[in-house]
Amino acid sequence: MAGRNFLFVPGPTNVPDRVLRAMVVPMEDHRSPIFPELTRTLLTGLKPVFKTTTGTPILFPSSGTGCWEAALTNCLNPGDKVLASRFGQFSHLWVDMCQRLGFEVEILETPWGEGAPVERYLASLAADKQHRIKAVLVCQNETATGVTSDVAAVRKAMDSVKHPALLFVDTVSALVSIDFRMDEWGVDVCVSGSQKGLMLPTGMAFTGISAKAIAATAEAKTPRVYWDWRRLMGEASQAYWNGTAPVHFFYGLQEALRMLEEEGLDNVFARHHRLAEATRRAVRVWRQNDGPEIFAVDPGAQSDSITAVLVPEGYDADKIRQAALDKFNVSLGGGLDRLKGRVFRIGHLGDLNEPMVLGAIAAVEMALDLTGVPHGRGAVQAAMEYLAGEV
Amino acid sequence: MAGRNFLFVPGPTNVPDRVLRAMVVPMEDHRSPIFPELTRTLLTGLKPVFKTTTGTPILFPSSGTGCWEAALTNCLNPGDKVLASRFGQFSHLWVDMCQRLGFEVEILETPWGEGAPVERYLASLAADKQHRIKAVLVCQNETATGVTSDVAAVRKAMDSVKHPALLFVDTVSALVSIDFRMDEWGVDVCVSGSQKGLMLPTGMAFTGISAKAIAATAEAKTPRVYWDWRRLMGEASQAYWNGTAPVHFFYGLQEALRMLEEEGLDNVFARHHRLAEATRRAVRVWRQNDGPEIFAVDPGAQSDSITAVLVPEGYDADKIRQAALDKFNVSLGGGLDRLKGRVFRIGHLGDLNEPMVLGAIAAVEMALDLTGVPHGRGAVQAAMEYLAGEV
Amino acid sequence: MAGRNFLFVPGPTNVPDRVLRAMVVPMEDHRSPIFPELTRTLLTGLKPVFKTTTGTPILFPSSGTGCWEAALTNCLNPGDKVLASRFGQFSHLWVDMCQRLGFEVEILETPWGEGAPVERYLASLAADKQHRIKAVLVCQNETATGVTSDVAAVRKAMDSVKHPALLFVDTVSALVSIDFRMDEWGVDVCVSGSQKGLMLPTGMAFTGISAKAIAATAEAKTPRVYWDWRRLMGEASQAYWNGTAPVHFFYGLQEALRMLEEEGLDNVFARHHRLAEATRRAVRVWRQNDGPEIFAVDPGAQSDSITAVLVPEGYDADKIRQAALDKFNVSLGGGLDRLKGRVFRIGHLGDLNEPMVLGAIAAVEMALDLTGVPHGRGAVQAAMEYLAGEV
Amino acid sequence: MAGRNFLFVPGPTNVPDRVLRAMVVPMEDHRSPIFPELTRTLLTGLKPVFKTTTGTPILFPSSGTGCWEAALTNCLNPGDKVLASRFGQFSHLWVDMCQRLGFEVEILETPWGEGAPVERYLASLAADKQHRIKAVLVCQNETATGVTSDVAAVRKAMDSVKHPALLFVDTVSALVSIDFRMDEWGVDVCVSGSQKGLMLPTGMAFTGISAKAIAATAEAKTPRVYWDWRRLMGEASQAYWNGTAPVHFFYGLQEALRMLEEEGLDNVFARHHRLAEATRRAVRVWRQNDGPEIFAVDPGAQSDSITAVLVPEGYDADKIRQAALDKFNVSLGGGLDRLKGRVFRIGHLGDLNEPMVLGAIAAVEMALDLTGVPHGRGAVQAAMEYLAGEV
């Protein structure tokens, strides 16, 4: 198809030309004297990304899923109890993994479209007088529903009852798009991937671990090798990398970190908020005209990286996506599991700007048109007027 | 700046990823046995692009300007008379080159914003009983004003008075965007560049020459070497290439030709028309609200590859461009020469699709907003509704 | 440093320009309709690489180490007994992983420099009347010592005593360089990585599993998610990929498989043998002059993908490597663990040809010269004369 | 074919990965505010490459041939007399161009294999009492024969008779490989291309012009537009670039200049001398064994960028080249014109190092072997021993 594909799935995101170019490298001896220095630079460079000075960043050649498994197996023992909420496909998958790995999961079942139920976290933690809960899991941004949860509030709940559990945060689709503060929020393990806000191809995953989490590894008895953090910390980190290091990713990450430093992390968040808000204003106009609406129910929890859009009863979200792809070369995310056919998802995260987002919204509206979904007029106008007032 | 630059200057245009990738090649021996075969494939592949079966395509490592010089010096003799019209910066530069090279130019001065004055061409040709005019020059698409001229009509005028002059056409910003028919229109020399519809980086130029033009080379006495077509035709073409051949461009052209074949040239023209018409509909809405208007006066001559937009009295087109670039990462063309500050130009040619163009139009409207230029509402809506009805 | 780095470590290997170029792709929707088809092509294309028609190839975003872990945890239960031999750093690491994961390992300790002790495998298997051994592990090519083991003979030993254990083969530095026959040799799980014979950057790992191994997964109780083969087989394989699929690697693999098909796998093996033998002939000349010698003791087991070179007593292999790198931009592998400083390793695997290898050997000899290591004359000459007779 | 092509033609040369990567850029608005700054950096960066502080560098989208034409047409008038020597295909082509462009050429015919005949230049200049000679042409490095001429001596000859002619130097295959000193040698125009020592793809040409040459443009009456230096000097240089500027080349040049600055120009020359001398030592061993010999007769004039090798009577140089290409993926230059089949040329210029050159020499010897050409033993050994003593 002519022109660039508009990649508006919620990851992978657009790899900037600078990053793509930085990865066009010949392979090199990953045991050479220069490689440890490169590694140190990257690990140091990830600290401000996690907003941590005391935490330890670790890189894995894997997807983010692997980092989840690492978090659980490095800190916990089989049979340990964890507290988690489930309100979408990705929070579900994490719970499911916990169960498969043999942990006891207290699940706070929450309607899809809502975020982490802080009050219920508090209630469970308060009730856990014996401190059987070893880890509290929160999905900061549910990629399936476009809902952002309040991690700081969960930490506050833990602190208010002086609960000693570890706090694990899935920040895969939030990191570098939505503010995340490892130290301030007392996060013990955060988990992310390369293909979202970090603007890299898929294939690497990033985790940040606190001193408390590191201490927990000493007691963890789940058999593990690849995911064993201890192999990737300290001096050994420059020698093994779980086998050979994916050097092209290292150079890509180096360039991505440079770009983030140039733009400034707070500006990156502001840009994501602006583009997300523009998207939401457009959807609200459709909604006012009996068209699609934002799936996330609480306006304050609507995600700045993903907007899940619920189509009116009687229409098929996948047909809209197909039209957008076939006619306008715009890729949208589909509804997952119970949302299949009912929502489409606009991923407005990563290396994006205003005309990209407006072009995508326009294409979505044209796809609504082509599939007979009501939408009215003025959605893009509303988005434009908002944006012109914000830049 | 975040996100992709929206490159809406009237060339260079976006190099598709496929073409960019095809050019990431190591250098190779351009005198190897495989190189002539590659060259032949490319020259053959250019014929349908020029819509010729009898003409001869030639490639130069140069910009399109060089092909102009080649056309003039290979076919004419110093002092020869040529007939040309001037209605924009590029038709002006061609006239200027003719004069610098020592030809006598009968200039049909035409207001900028209009196209080639066919009636006046006819009058001049009819008056030229002695056939002193050796070449008739037409700029098919004036890049400075966004006006497309009627080359077929000029040929018809020549034929109606049986004038034997050669017909030279500057098709730089038209080729592969707007229909061009070398054989049907009896064009003797057409001139184009790599960085427009052919979707390549700048640096190569393409010309097509008729048998009559080749015959004229035998009589041409202007000293020339680099531009001498004879060195690049026949077997020699595979041996010298005016020095060493730019092999990475050859591979890029190979891929670009493949893409054009896949989409189909007529579909490419239809797409350009659709995107241009969407742009024009948006501008017309601005105009209805006392905002900018299309510079090209004759609706039938408004170009499908470039829209020059005249800003209302009292506003500065360059400030609009600056706002579009600084705030939205959208690059627009500026007004040239007498149009400086009065028009901005939207280049909607090359590897583009609907959301790219709509994103650009939206950015322009936001830039109008930021610079206080009236524009009203509904421009993007008009463009979208047109496009949804056309795809 | 000027010129290309000569990458002669035993992996990562040179990524051919074609593969590098194929990976310069924008990200794309990995859930789009075209992605399953691409995946199927790759999985099918890996079958002849493994020489299997009945086995199932699986891809992981990880290093080869991860595939080891997958093999063990998918087929075995904690406490299960495995039989393995240890004769170098990589066979050691695999044994070590088995122990860390809670398996009981019967270790056939073998001097470094020798290969898998087939007779002792046979003895252990014969003694295991109760079939407590659930898996037999063989490292086909020990990357640390440059020794190739006889996998077919191990299978024969198993069959001769009708032992039902699974046969696991580490073919990381052998696959696509040295003949490997999954079906003929009755291999149940083979493990490999992207950065060796498959000529890709580091970051993906490949495993092939037999029907018998798949059947074993049903009984395996080790908690696992990421490495769980079941998630990556069948239809699900196109949906999840352990999270998001690394699409650029998929395109790289597609091109690498094309290249292998063009050259022909047997020609690839013959080329590796030729280049390895040339290397060995050069080292033998050095040895005849009191210089370095081939570390692998049994000539029939000297690897066609890696030559470990033992330096004479009193010399430091790492100084030779440093001189080769600093003065000639040639990267050699170092001695691992107990071989540190005693051997350097020449990785002659992947996308290499005769002048590359001869240039590397020449650089090594010059590095011997600069570090005062005896070597005599004629090493490169011997390699050249052999190669001229073989091509 | 497997492995990297060894590109040992005398241009194009290997584009370093860094340069190739720098050229993988999206197109951009060449009239944007940042482009003039980039241009200024490049033009300034070329001055030390030409060893000039007073000269003006100019860039053309063209091959080096175009710069020749520019030199002649910008400084001279039709009928003007020039003094040139002819001793190879490229000095011949320049003379031929002079004649085609209408200049009177006093040709110092010199046997191929020798360099510029300084004494005869002096004689002609001394005899030219009326100063009818307007320009003296010297080919610094004859690419066809591998002979370097003494430009400083020609200048000295001019000065000794106080001859006011301009001095034009073709430094295409010398620049950045062999010392060139524009200011010290009083060169008025030097001409070069992108695809030799500057390590870029083919497609751009570089020229340096003195104040005296610039002054001459005022009097030059040859019609010219594209090659007209005046359009590319001063402020206009950032606006037009003979049409659209080839921006990807600009970024490539930027990176190439950085690499040259990092290595240091004198180190680059020393490296070229070292690699050339190694090549010559190898050829001399062949010669001592009745094999091929260096074509350049005067040892002091043997080129540090190209060695033309004359094969013994009765053998076909092209068969040797074909064997090197077919069997070992090594590309050698062929004999041009009268040397066709009699010589092959080894281009040892650009981004090369010791193992690359030794690999190429080894491949040539194996090709001699395969084609039955005598060569003896020890050629590579001689080259290695020389190099080990020089680094």
Side-chain angles (χ1 to χ4, degrees):
Chain A
M1 292 190 68
R4 277 229 130 195
N5 173 253
F6 271 52
L7 186 63
F8 278 81
V9 299
T13 65
N14 296 288
V15 179
D17 289 304
R18 281 175 60 177
V19 172
L20 198 65
R21 191 160 56 240
M23 295 179 74
V24 184
V25 286
M27 284 299 99
E28 65 180 58
D29 180 8
H30 62 296
R31 296 176 195 260
S32 82
I34 64 165
F35 207 71
E37 182 53 33
L38 171 60
T39 305
R40 263 189 295 273
T41 308
L42 298 180
L43 294 175
T44 304
L46 279 169
K47 289 190 178 187
V49 168
F50 291 143
K51 292 201 175 171
T52 188
T53 56
T54 59
T56 301
I58 286 183
L59 320 177
F60 281 105
S62 81
S63 70
T65 303
C67 281
W68 281 358
E69 190 159 342
L72 296 164
T73 55
N74 274 287
C75 296
L76 304 175
N77 280 303
D80 274 358
K81 184 170 176 181
V82 304
L83 175 66
S85 51
R86 174 151 66 178
F87 42 72
Q89 180 67 6
F90 292 91
S91 46
H92 160 70
L93 285 172
W94 204 7
V95 164
D96 180 66
M97 177 186 276
C98 290
Q99 293 172 329
R100 288 171 188 265
L101 293 175
F103 303 105
E104 178 191 341
V105 193
E106 179 178 341
I107 308 174
L108 305 173
E109 299 286 0
T110 307
W112 287 35
E114 297 182 10
V118 177
E119 290 305 312
R120 292 166 62 204
Y121 270 94
L122 176 59
S124 292
L125 290 162
D128 180 36
K129 303 294 187 200
Q130 285 87 29
H131 295 164
R132 287 195 53 238
I133 295 169
K134 299 300 179 197
V136 174
L137 277 54
V138 185
C139 180
Q140 190 188 2
N141 194 70
E142 172 56 65
T143 310
T145 61
V147 172
T148 304
S149 291
D150 188 346
V151 177
V154 173
R155 161 52 64 196
K156 209 170 155 190
M158 293 173 72
D159 288 351
S160 71
V161 296
K162 296 196 165 51
H163 200 292
L166 295 162
L167 176 58
F168 291 1
V169 178
D170 169 350
T171 182
V172 173
S173 62
L175 193 75
V176 191
S177 304
I178 298 167
D179 196 7
F180 172 78
R181 307 179 181 196
M182 185 169 175
D183 284 2
E184 187 179 325
W185 297 347
V187 175
D188 291 298
V189 187
C190 67
V191 163
S192 193
S194 53
Q195 79 281 5
K196 310 271 179 179
L198 279 166
M199 310 179 291
L200 290 161
T202 314
M204 280 206 81
F206 306 96
T207 190
I209 53 181
S210 71
K212 189 172 162 189
I214 292 173
T217 62
E219 307 301 317
K221 293 182 180 54
T222 305
R224 64 196 185 276
V225 176
Y226 194 87
W227 306 122
D228 195 335
W229 292 337
R230 293 167 299 184
R231 302 171 71 232
L232 299 173
M233 292 192 298
E235 283 312 302
S237 72
Q238 291 119 25
Y240 289 101
W241 281 113
N242 266 327
T244 314
V247 294
H248 68 309
F249 267 112
F250 280 51
Y251 287 107
L253 177 58
Q254 185 180 44
E255 189 68 18
L257 291 174
R258 269 187 208 130
M259 289 178 70
L260 293 176
E261 200 182 350
E262 288 169 20
E263 186 173 359
L265 212 50
D266 287 337
N267 293 327
V268 174
F269 297 148
R271 173 167 56 81
H272 278 83
H273 176 71
R274 200 163 64 232
L275 299 176
E277 181 60 24
T279 305
R280 290 189 286 261
R281 296 203 176 199
V283 181
R284 283 182 204 130
V285 171
W286 295 335
R287 178 57 180 160
Q288 287 156 12
N289 292 280
D290 304 318
E293 68 190 296
I294 299 169
F295 182 74
V297 287
D298 173 9
Q302 289 168 349
S303 163
D304 279 348
S305 62
I306 293 137
T307 298
V309 180
L310 181 70
V311 301
E313 204 67 43
Y315 296 97
D316 182 350
D318 287 336
K319 284 194 180 155
I320 298 165
R321 290 173 59 228
Q322 200 64 46
L325 182 60
D326 291 350
K327 299 293 184 183
F328 307 114
N329 208 356
V330 173
S331 296
L332 302 168
L336 298 175
D337 194 77
R338 72 190 66 173
L339 296 181
K340 183 162 173 47
R342 294 179 54 216
V343 312
F344 59 85
R345 293 176 297 145
I346 303 174
H348 32 66
L349 72 171
D351 188 43
L352 292 175
N353 58 26
E354 289 78 7
M356 293 169 91
V357 168
L358 291 169
I361 296 171
V364 172
E365 181 167 315
M366 293 189 293
L368 296 175
D369 217 55
L370 294 171
T371 52
V373 181
H375 56 76
R377 294 179 147 204
V380 177
Q381 194 76 40
M384 285 164 61
E385 290 176 8
Y386 164 74
L387 287 172
E390 291 292 315
V391 291
Chain B
M1 291 190 71
R4 276 228 132 197
N5 174 253
F6 271 54
L7 186 64
F8 278 81
V9 298
T13 66
N14 296 288
V15 178
D17 289 305
R18 281 174 62 177
V19 172
L20 197 65
R21 192 160 56 242
M23 295 180 74
V24 183
V25 286
M27 284 299 100
E28 65 181 57
D29 180 7
H30 62 295
R31 296 177 196 260
S32 82
I34 64 166
F35 207 72
E37 182 55 32
L38 171 60
T39 305
R40 262 190 297 273
T41 308
L42 298 180
L43 294 175
T44 304
L46 280 170
K47 289 189 178 187
V49 169
F50 291 143
K51 293 201 174 173
T52 189
T53 57
T54 59
T56 301
I58 285 183
L59 319 177
F60 281 104
S62 80
S63 70
T65 304
C67 281
W68 280 358
E69 189 159 341
L72 295 165
T73 55
N74 274 287
C75 296
L76 303 176
N77 279 305
D80 274 359
K81 186 170 174 181
V82 304
L83 176 65
S85 50
R86 173 151 67 178
F87 42 72
Q89 179 68 5
F90 292 91
S91 46
H92 159 69
L93 285 172
W94 204 7
V95 164
D96 180 65
M97 177 188 274
C98 290
Q99 292 171 327
R100 288 171 188 266
L101 293 175
F103 303 105
E104 180 191 340
V105 193
E106 180 178 340
I107 309 172
L108 304 174
E109 298 287 0
T110 307
W112 287 35
E114 296 183 12
V118 178
E119 290 306 312
R120 292 166 61 203
Y121 270 94
L122 176 60
S124 291
L125 291 162
D128 180 37
K129 303 294 184 199
Q130 286 86 31
H131 295 165
R132 286 196 53 238
I133 295 169
K134 299 302 177 196
V136 174
L137 276 55
V138 186
C139 181
Q140 188 188 3
N141 194 69
E142 172 56 63
T143 311
T145 62
V147 173
T148 304
S149 290
D150 189 346
V151 176
V154 174
R155 161 53 63 197
K156 211 171 154 189
M158 292 172 74
D159 288 351
S160 71
V161 296
K162 296 195 165 52
H163 201 289
L166 295 162
L167 176 58
F168 290 2
V169 178
D170 169 350
T171 181
V172 172
S173 62
L175 194 75
V176 193
S177 304
I178 299 167
D179 197 7
F180 172 79
R181 307 178 181 198
M182 185 169 173
D183 284 1
E184 186 179 324
W185 298 346
V187 175
D188 292 298
V189 186
C190 68
V191 163
S192 194
S194 53
Q195 79 281 6
K196 309 272 180 180
L198 278 166
M199 309 179 292
L200 291 161
T202 314
M204 281 206 80
F206 307 97
T207 190
I209 53 182
S210 72
K212 187 171 162 189
I214 292 173
T217 62
E219 307 300 318
K221 292 180 181 58
T222 304
R224 65 196 185 275
V225 176
Y226 194 88
W227 307 121
D228 195 336
W229 292 337
R230 294 167 298 183
R231 302 171 71 231
L232 298 173
M233 292 193 299
E235 283 311 302
S237 73
Q238 292 118 24
Y240 289 103
W241 282 113
N242 267 327
T244 314
V247 294
H248 67 308
F249 267 112
F250 280 51
Y251 287 107
L253 177 58
Q254 186 181 42
E255 190 67 19
L257 291 174
R258 270 188 206 129
M259 289 179 70
L260 293 176
E261 199 181 350
E262 287 170 20
E263 187 173 0
L265 211 50
D266 287 339
N267 293 328
V268 174
F269 298 148
R271 174 167 55 81
H272 278 82
H273 176 71
R274 199 163 65 235
L275 299 176
E277 181 59 25
T279 305
R280 290 189 287 261
R281 295 204 176 199
V283 182
R284 283 182 204 128
V285 172
W286 295 335
R287 176 59 180 160
Q288 287 156 12
N289 293 281
D290 304 318
E293 68 190 297
I294 300 169
F295 182 73
V297 288
D298 173 10
Q302 290 167 350
S303 164
D304 279 349
S305 62
I306 292 137
T307 297
V309 180
L310 181 70
V311 300
E313 204 67 43
Y315 296 97
D316 181 350
D318 288 335
K319 283 195 181 155
I320 299 165
R321 292 172 60 226
Q322 199 63 45
L325 182 60
D326 292 349
K327 299 293 185 184
F328 306 114
N329 208 355
V330 172
S331 296
L332 302 168
L336 298 176
D337 193 77
R338 71 189 68 172
L339 296 181
K340 181 159 174 50
R342 294 180 55 215
V343 313
F344 59 85
R345 293 175 298 146
I346 303 173
H348 32 66
L349 72 171
D351 187 43
L352 293 176
N353 58 27
E354 290 77 5
M356 292 167 93
V357 168
L358 291 169
I361 296 171
V364 172
E365 180 167 315
M366 293 188 292
L368 295 175
D369 217 55
L370 293 172
T371 51
V373 181
H375 56 76
R377 293 178 147 205
V380 177
Q381 194 77 39
M384 285 164 61
E385 290 176 8
Y386 164 74
L387 287 172
E390 292 292 314
V391 291
Chain C
M1 290 191 71
R4 277 228 132 195
N5 174 253
F6 270 54
L7 186 63
F8 278 81
V9 299
T13 65
N14 296 287
V15 178
D17 290 305
R18 281 174 61 176
V19 172
L20 198 65
R21 192 161 54 241
M23 296 179 74
V24 184
V25 286
M27 283 300 98
E28 64 180 58
D29 180 8
H30 63 295
R31 295 177 195 259
S32 82
I34 64 165
F35 207 72
E37 181 53 32
L38 170 61
T39 305
R40 263 190 295 274
T41 309
L42 298 180
L43 294 175
T44 305
L46 279 169
K47 288 190 179 187
V49 168
F50 291 143
K51 293 200 173 172
T52 188
T53 57
T54 60
T56 300
I58 285 184
L59 319 177
F60 281 104
S62 80
S63 69
T65 304
C67 282
W68 281 358
E69 190 159 343
L72 295 165
T73 55
N74 274 287
C75 296
L76 304 175
N77 279 304
D80 274 358
K81 186 171 174 182
V82 303
L83 175 65
S85 51
R86 174 151 67 179
F87 41 72
Q89 180 66 6
F90 293 91
S91 46
H92 159 70
L93 285 171
W94 205 6
V95 164
D96 179 66
M97 177 186 276
C98 290
Q99 293 172 327
R100 288 171 187 265
L101 293 174
F103 303 105
E104 179 191 342
V105 193
E106 180 179 340
I107 308 173
L108 304 173
E109 298 287 359
T110 307
W112 288 35
E114 297 182 12
V118 178
E119 290 306 311
R120 292 167 61 202
Y121 270 94
L122 176 61
S124 292
L125 292 161
D128 181 36
K129 303 295 184 199
Q130 284 87 30
H131 294 165
R132 289 194 51 237
I133 295 169
K134 299 302 178 196
V136 174
L137 276 55
V138 186
C139 181
Q140 188 187 4
N141 194 68
E142 172 57 63
T143 310
T145 62
V147 173
T148 304
S149 290
D150 188 346
V151 176
V154 174
R155 162 50 66 196
K156 210 172 154 191
M158 293 172 73
D159 289 351
S160 71
V161 297
K162 296 194 165 51
H163 201 289
L166 295 162
L167 175 58
F168 290 1
V169 178
D170 168 351
T171 181
V172 173
S173 61
L175 194 76
V176 193
S177 304
I178 298 168
D179 197 8
F180 172 79
R181 306 178 181 199
M182 185 170 174
D183 284 2
E184 187 180 324
W185 298 346
V187 175
D188 291 299
V189 186
C190 67
V191 163
S192 193
S194 53
Q195 77 281 5
K196 311 271 179 179
L198 278 166
M199 309 178 292
L200 290 161
T202 313
M204 281 205 80
F206 306 96
T207 190
I209 53 182
S210 71
K212 188 172 163 190
I214 292 173
T217 62
E219 306 300 320
K221 293 181 181 56
T222 305
R224 63 197 185 277
V225 177
Y226 195 87
W227 306 122
D228 196 336
W229 292 337
R230 293 166 300 183
R231 304 171 71 232
L232 298 174
M233 292 191 299
E235 282 313 300
S237 74
Q238 291 119 25
Y240 288 101
W241 281 113
N242 265 327
T244 314
V247 294
H248 67 309
F249 267 112
F250 280 52
Y251 288 106
L253 177 58
Q254 186 181 44
E255 190 67 19
L257 291 174
R258 271 188 205 129
M259 289 179 70
L260 293 176
E261 200 181 350
E262 288 170 20
E263 186 173 359
L265 211 51
D266 287 338
N267 293 328
V268 174
F269 298 149
R271 174 167 56 81
H272 278 82
H273 176 70
R274 199 163 64 234
L275 298 176
E277 180 61 24
T279 305
R280 290 188 287 261
R281 295 203 176 200
V283 181
R284 284 183 203 128
V285 171
W286 294 335
R287 177 58 180 160
Q288 286 157 13
N289 292 279
D290 305 317
E293 68 190 298
I294 299 169
F295 182 73
V297 287
D298 172 9
Q302 289 168 350
S303 162
D304 279 350
S305 63
I306 293 138
T307 299
V309 180
L310 181 69
V311 299
E313 203 69 40
Y315 296 98
D316 181 351
D318 287 337
K319 284 195 181 156
I320 298 165
R321 291 173 61 227
Q322 201 62 48
L325 182 60
D326 292 349
K327 299 293 185 183
F328 307 114
N329 209 354
V330 172
S331 295
L332 302 169
L336 298 175
D337 194 77
R338 71 189 68 171
L339 296 182
K340 182 160 172 48
R342 294 180 56 215
V343 312
F344 59 86
R345 293 176 298 147
I346 303 174
H348 32 67
L349 73 172
D351 187 42
L352 293 176
N353 58 25
E354 289 78 6
M356 293 169 93
V357 168
L358 291 170
I361 297 172
V364 172
E365 181 168 315
M366 293 189 293
L368 295 176
D369 217 54
L370 293 172
T371 50
V373 182
H375 56 76
R377 295 178 146 203
V380 178
Q381 193 77 39
M384 285 164 61
E385 290 176 8
Y386 164 75
L387 287 171
E390 291 293 315
V391 291
Chain D
M1 291 190 68
R4 277 227 131 195
N5 173 253
F6 270 54
L7 186 63
F8 277 82
V9 300
T13 64
N14 296 287
V15 178
D17 289 304
R18 282 174 61 177
V19 172
L20 198 65
R21 191 160 56 241
M23 295 179 74
V24 183
V25 285
M27 284 299 99
E28 64 180 59
D29 180 7
H30 62 295
R31 296 178 196 259
S32 82
I34 64 166
F35 207 71
E37 182 54 32
L38 171 60
T39 305
R40 262 190 296 273
T41 308
L42 298 180
L43 294 175
T44 304
L46 280 169
K47 288 190 178 187
V49 168
F50 291 144
K51 293 201 173 171
T52 187
T53 56
T54 59
T56 301
I58 286 183
L59 320 177
F60 281 105
S62 81
S63 70
T65 304
C67 282
W68 282 357
E69 189 158 342
L72 296 165
T73 55
N74 275 286
C75 296
L76 303 176
N77 278 304
D80 274 359
K81 185 170 174 182
V82 304
L83 175 65
S85 51
R86 174 152 66 178
F87 42 72
Q89 180 67 5
F90 292 91
S91 45
H92 160 69
L93 285 172
W94 205 6
V95 164
D96 180 66
M97 177 186 275
C98 290
Q99 292 172 329
R100 287 171 188 266
L101 293 175
F103 303 105
E104 179 192 340
V105 193
E106 180 179 340
I107 308 174
L108 304 173
E109 298 287 359
T110 306
W112 288 35
E114 297 182 11
V118 178
E119 290 306 313
R120 292 167 61 203
Y121 270 93
L122 176 59
S124 291
L125 291 162
D128 181 35
K129 303 295 185 199
Q130 285 86 29
H131 294 164
R132 287 196 52 239
I133 295 169
K134 298 301 178 197
V136 174
L137 277 54
V138 186
C139 181
Q140 189 189 2
N141 194 69
E142 171 57 65
T143 311
T145 62
V147 172
T148 304
S149 291
D150 188 346
V151 176
V154 174
R155 162 50 63 197
K156 210 171 153 190
M158 292 172 73
D159 289 351
S160 72
V161 296
K162 297 194 163 52
H163 200 290
L166 295 161
L167 176 58
F168 290 3
V169 178
D170 169 350
T171 181
V172 173
S173 61
L175 194 75
V176 191
S177 304
I178 298 168
D179 197 7
F180 172 78
R181 306 179 181 196
M182 185 169 174
D183 284 1
E184 186 180 325
W185 298 346
V187 175
D188 291 299
V189 186
C190 67
V191 164
S192 193
S194 53
Q195 78 281 3
K196 310 272 178 176
L198 279 166
M199 309 178 292
L200 291 161
T202 314
M204 282 206 79
F206 306 97
T207 190
I209 52 181
S210 71
K212 188 172 162 189
I214 292 173
T217 62
E219 307 300 317
K221 294 181 180 54
T222 305
R224 65 197 185 275
V225 177
Y226 194 86
W227 306 121
D228 195 335
W229 292 337
R230 293 167 299 184
R231 302 172 71 232
L232 299 173
M233 291 193 298
E235 282 313 301
S237 72
Q238 290 119 26
Y240 288 101
W241 282 113
N242 265 327
T244 314
V247 294
H248 67 310
F249 267 112
F250 280 52
Y251 287 106
L253 177 57
Q254 186 181 42
E255 190 67 19
L257 291 174
R258 269 188 206 129
M259 289 179 71
L260 293 176
E261 200 182 349
E262 287 170 20
E263 186 174 1
L265 211 51
D266 288 338
N267 293 328
V268 174
F269 298 149
R271 175 167 55 82
H272 278 82
H273 177 70
R274 200 163 64 235
L275 299 176
E277 181 60 23
T279 305
R280 291 189 286 261
R281 294 202 176 201
V283 182
R284 284 183 204 130
V285 171
W286 294 335
R287 177 57 181 161
Q288 286 156 13
N289 292 279
D290 305 319
E293 69 190 296
I294 299 169
F295 182 73
V297 287
D298 173 8
Q302 290 168 348
S303 163
D304 279 349
S305 62
I306 293 137
T307 298
V309 180
L310 181 71
V311 301
E313 203 68 43
Y315 297 98
D316 182 351
D318 287 337
K319 284 195 180 154
I320 298 165
R321 291 174 59 226
Q322 200 64 45
L325 182 60
D326 292 350
K327 299 294 184 182
F328 307 113
N329 209 355
V330 172
S331 296
L332 302 169
L336 298 175
D337 194 77
R338 72 190 66 173
L339 296 182
K340 184 163 171 45
R342 294 180 55 215
V343 311
F344 59 84
R345 292 176 299 146
I346 303 173
H348 32 67
L349 73 172
D351 188 43
L352 293 175
N353 58 26
E354 290 77 7
M356 293 169 91
V357 168
L358 291 170
I361 296 172
V364 172
E365 181 168 315
M366 293 189 293
L368 295 176
D369 217 55
L370 294 171
T371 51
V373 181
H375 56 75
R377 294 178 147 205
V380 177
Q381 194 77 39
M384 285 163 61
E385 290 176 7
Y386 164 74
L387 287 172
E390 291 293 314
V391 292

